[in-house]
Amino acid sequence: MGILSGLKRLGLGSLENEDIYEADKENSKQRSKNDTAGTPKPKPEEKDLIYEKSYVCPVCGSGFTSKVMKSSKARLVSTDQDLRPRYDVIDAVKYDVVLCTTCGYGALGSSFTHISPGQIKLVKEKICSKVRMGNYHNEVYSYEEALERYQLALANALVKRSKASEKAFICLKTGWLLRGYTEYLKESDSPKESVEEMETQENEYLQNAYKGFLEARQTENFPMCGMDELTIDYLLAALAMRFRQFDVAARLISTILTSSSASIRVKDKARDMKEQILRELKKR
Ligand SMILES: [Zn+2]
């Protein structure tokens, strides 16, 4: 079972056994917090922190809306070691995929309009003609709906032969989404099995993100998915830590610590990680 095993339910079963980075070697030859200080106000709910944004689908031409987080209203509380943002009240990650509910074309908001005529043809043929999407009419995106949106974004990236970095970024964010889903399931006292299932899936997606960003670092230029080289190196170090590749993490961390252009914040995070690596190596 791989990370694409959910695609059969969406009518895209033929993509299930694809290797998501397989086509990249050929392809590579060609080509943002707010503080609302002051008097206590009634706490906003998730629905108050999103709005319906209008889009025109570059594949089928339909007009549609996707729910988008009001980044000026949402309050960032912290970030996890692998840079997953944690907001008060809302899980921002649920709102990062833009999806045309008419034809099934979807991508991360930042890359939604970047699609060539050749890629449109591929999406029409391999997604639009087959896809069966869930019927959701909620005020906010549930984790289930958000996960389906991410699965479709990855299927689209696969079909249109996106760069490794684009696929890796979708995998990274899906991993973050699944972490949020796991936390939500734990809070709602869900059965242990469903929590474990989400944790397993999170690991699979993050493994794929790790693999994809390692490859992209060798073959693509920076900035990558809006991240500069040091941020990507930091992210890779965090993922390497998770998968106990301490030598890889240590090498990346020392690059960051000796860099003259790394910000104090990134260096602080890198120093914390270095201590963690040293502790882990001592245990051996
Ligand atoms: Zn469309």
Side-chain angles (χ1 to χ4, degrees), residues 56-64 99-106 112 123 128:
V56 174
C57 177
V59 172
C60 73
S62 304
F64 68 96
L99 176 71
C100 171
T101 46
T102 303
C103 77
Y105 168 60
F112 185 74
V123 169
C128 309

Side-chain angles (χ1 to χ4, degrees), residues 196-263:
E196 284 170 0
E197 164 64 23
M198 290 305 145
E199 287 173 337
T200 306
Q201 281 199 46
E202 177 191 341
N203 257 322
E204 285 180 18
Y205 275 98
L206 294 180
Q207 278 277 13
N208 276 282
Y210 181 51
K211 185 178 166 198
F213 276 123
L214 276 178
E215 182 181 320
R217 195 178 177 277
Q218 307 296 328
T219 54
E220 299 178 30
N221 299 321
F222 294 97
M224 198 180 279
C225 310
M227 292 180 276
D228 62 18
E229 188 168 357
L230 286 168
T231 310
I232 291 284
D233 281 355
Y234 171 81
L235 175 64
L236 277 168
L239 292 170
M241 283 290 290
R242 180 183 187 100
F243 299 115
R244 306 188 67 77
Q245 308 268 310
F246 300 120
D247 47 335
V248 178
R251 229 173 14 241
L252 289 161
I253 289 298
S254 72
T255 313
I256 297 169
L257 290 174
T258 51
S259 155
S260 52
S261 55
S263 68

Side-chain angles (χ1 to χ4, degrees), residues 234 257 263-273:
Y234 171 81
L257 290 174
S263 68
I264 294 175
R265 202 180 67 94
V266 169
K267 283 200 175 179
D268 281 347
K269 274 175 149 336
R271 242 174 247 116
D272 289 346
M273 209 186 291

Side-chain angles (χ1 to χ4, degrees), residues 4-283:
L4 299 170
S5 60
L7 292 176
K8 192 173 271 166
R9 189 174 41 81
L10 298 167
L12 304 171
S14 64
L15 294 173
E16 269 186 1
N17 296 316
E18 292 268 327
D19 175 342
I20 66 174
Y21 296 115
E22 197 174 42
D24 294 335
K25 276 151 202 137
E26 281 164 46
N27 287 350
S28 59
K29 284 182 202 147
Q30 307 151 17
R31 38 173 161 93
S32 51
K33 144 183 150 186
N34 249 34
D35 280 316
T36 7
T39 49
K41 284 181 229 148
K43 202 164 169 130
E45 293 174 46
E46 181 165 345
K47 65 179 172 58
D48 305 321
L49 297 173
I50 55 171
Y51 68 104
E52 295 284 345
K53 186 170 174 180
S54 299
Y55 293 89
V56 174
C57 177
V59 172
C60 73
S62 304
F64 68 96
T65 62
S66 269
K67 299 184 201 306
V68 170
M69 187 176 80
K70 296 174 180 166
S71 40
S72 61
K73 288 234 170 115
R75 194 172 68 87
L76 183 71
V77 182
S78 62
T79 47
D80 291 353
Q81 191 165 47
D82 64 4
L83 304 177
R84 172 198 169 206
R86 285 179 184 267
Y87 283 82
D88 198 15
V89 181
I90 185 168
D91 186 345
V93 181
K94 288 200 281 181
Y95 298 93
D96 282 347
V97 170
V98 178
L99 176 71
C100 171
T101 46
T102 303
C103 77
Y105 168 60
L108 290 176
S110 50
S111 53
F112 185 74
T113 54
H114 303 164
I115 180 164
S116 70
Q119 289 176 315
I120 290 175
K121 192 168 166 275
L122 289 167
V123 169
K124 280 186 172 162
E125 187 187 316
K126 297 189 169 170
I127 303 280
C128 309
S129 62
K130 297 179 182 163
V131 72
R132 292 187 306 267
M133 285 174 280
N135 219 344
Y136 300 100
H137 301 284
N138 305 315
E139 224 175 350
V140 300
Y141 291 146
S142 62
Y143 276 105
E144 191 190 1
E145 182 174 1
L147 185 56
E148 182 175 309
R149 298 172 70 85
Y150 272 94
Q151 287 174 327
L152 280 169
L154 185 59
N156 274 278
L158 205 61
V159 156
K160 65 188 172 83
R161 303 188 185 125
S162 298
K163 291 191 282 189
S165 60
E166 188 181 334
K167 289 181 280 189
F169 204 28
I170 297 171
C171 288
L172 176 71
K173 289 198 169 198
T174 314
W176 291 349
L177 181 81
L178 287 158
R179 193 176 313 156
Y181 203 168
T182 301
E183 289 163 2
Y184 164 78
L185 289 173
K186 282 181 178 164
E187 277 163 27
S188 48
D189 286 323
S190 298
K192 209 170 117 230
E193 297 75 46
S194 37
V195 172
E196 284 170 0
E197 164 64 23
M198 290 305 145
E199 287 173 337
T200 306
Q201 281 199 46
E202 177 191 341
N203 257 322
E204 285 180 18
Y205 275 98
L206 294 180
Q207 278 277 13
N208 276 282
Y210 181 51
K211 185 178 166 198
F213 276 123
L214 276 178
E215 182 181 320
R217 195 178 177 277
Q218 307 296 328
T219 54
E220 299 178 30
N221 299 321
F222 294 97
M224 198 180 279
C225 310
M227 292 180 276
D228 62 18
E229 188 168 357
L230 286 168
T231 310
I232 291 284
D233 281 355
Y234 171 81
L235 175 64
L236 277 168
L239 292 170
M241 283 290 290
R242 180 183 187 100
F243 299 115
R244 306 188 67 77
Q245 308 268 310
F246 300 120
D247 47 335
V248 178
R251 229 173 14 241
L252 289 161
I253 289 298
S254 72
T255 313
I256 297 169
L257 290 174
T258 51
S259 155
S260 52
S261 55
S263 68
I264 294 175
R265 202 180 67 94
V266 169
K267 283 200 175 179
D268 281 347
K269 274 175 149 336
R271 242 174 247 116
D272 289 346
M273 209 186 291
K274 188 178 175 180
E275 280 166 28
Q276 227 175 303
I277 295 168
L278 292 174
R279 279 199 301 273
E280 289 289 345
L281 291 176
K282 251 182 226 159
K283 282 191 217 158

